[in-house]
Amino acid sequence: MKQLIIGACLAGAATLALAQSWPTAKPIRIIVAYPAGGVSDNIARALADKLAVQLGTPVVVENKAGASGSLGVDAVAKAAPDGYTLLVGADGPITILPALRKGLPYDVERDLVPVASLGETDFLLVANPKTGFKTLQDFVAAARAQPGRYNYASAGNGTALQFSMEQLKQKAGIHVTHIPYRGGPLGMADVVAGQVDGMFIAVTPALAHVRDGRLVALASGGAARHALLPTVPTVAETYKGFRAGTWFGLFAPANTPQTVVDALGTAADQILANPATRSELAAQGVQTTGYGQTRFRSQVQAESRRYALLAQQVGIKGD
């Protein structure tokens, strides 16, 4: 018993020393679980540059893509809880994969601590102009009249894009056929080419195609109309409570000292409150959030429950 007490005291002293000395000149790594150039990566790089200035230590972004984002999450889950390895994570590997796959190498509740919410981006329901659809109501009416006649693309089985359409199918009482792709951009390319009728996709990659007429924006998935497409109605205006989009947040390994978590959260909030940062990310279709650990943890838990329930209701299974 005496040895246990001494061990606990030494561990506590080490944690206190780390919290008091953090950060040093040692670089902080922000791991992104997706390839460079995506929204998660853009947010991470915008955060890293400004975080380095605020904390006075180098901050680097490392892309660790693969296995639907689980490789990057697992790398952070298994990292030392010293404040030098962080994750910019999104809903996919954090709240969706655990609802679909048993035997993931990490447990979000056990292995990660939410630090701060960073931002959200809405999905957009788009269709190829050849379908003749101009509105959400056109799409729903056609799908009801000819069940199974129309199809939709997604970024793959068990992705947020698939969940978005399955949620709409459930609310509208329609049947459209799912065609999974290895990534949203590949699916969108086939919608643009007329090989697939439509899909939900993030606003930013779809925007140029909508503006030049190669895609028709039928509805957005946000709680309010998107600032970049103010004339496009939301799905929620027709189907109350509908929400389709994705969120991004900052995580640390479990057992990271709370003083370090608090310092990171405060720095992230200050960065996201800067009008220049907000404008930079808004141009990419990201609405900055910046609320703190308690609210963000509640969001992650609520999203986990929502996806688990929806997966059960509509029978979605991951690859």
Side-chain angles (χ1 to χ4, degrees), residues 65-91:
S68 302
S70 63
L71 289 182
V73 175
D74 189 46
V76 176
K78 290 180 168 57
D82 56 10
Y84 293 99
T85 303
L86 307 172
L87 171 75
V88 167
D91 53 4

Side-chain angles (χ1 to χ4, degrees), residues 11 14-16 18-19 22 26 75-86 110-113 251-261 264:
T15 299
L16 179 61
L18 166 64
W22 183 93
K26 178 180 176 180
V76 176
K78 290 180 168 57
D82 56 10
Y84 293 99
T85 303
L86 307 172
R110 181 194 65 209
D111 298 331
L112 296 174
V113 57
F251 294 82
N255 300 316
T256 299
Q258 188 60 44
T259 52
V260 174
V261 171
L264 285 165

Side-chain angles (χ1 to χ4, degrees), residues 225-282:
R225 296 190 180 194
H226 200 280
L228 298 177
L229 293 165
T231 63
V232 177
T234 66
V235 178
E237 290 175 38
T238 301
Y239 299 103
K240 188 176 180 180
F242 183 93
R243 176 78 174 91
T246 191
W247 52 261
F248 309 92
L250 187 65
F251 294 82
N255 300 316
T256 299
Q258 188 60 44
T259 52
V260 174
V261 171
D262 290 343
L264 285 165
T266 298
D269 290 349
Q270 291 174 350
I271 289 167
L272 295 173
N274 187 302
T277 304
R278 298 176 77 91
S279 296
E280 176 186 348
L281 294 176

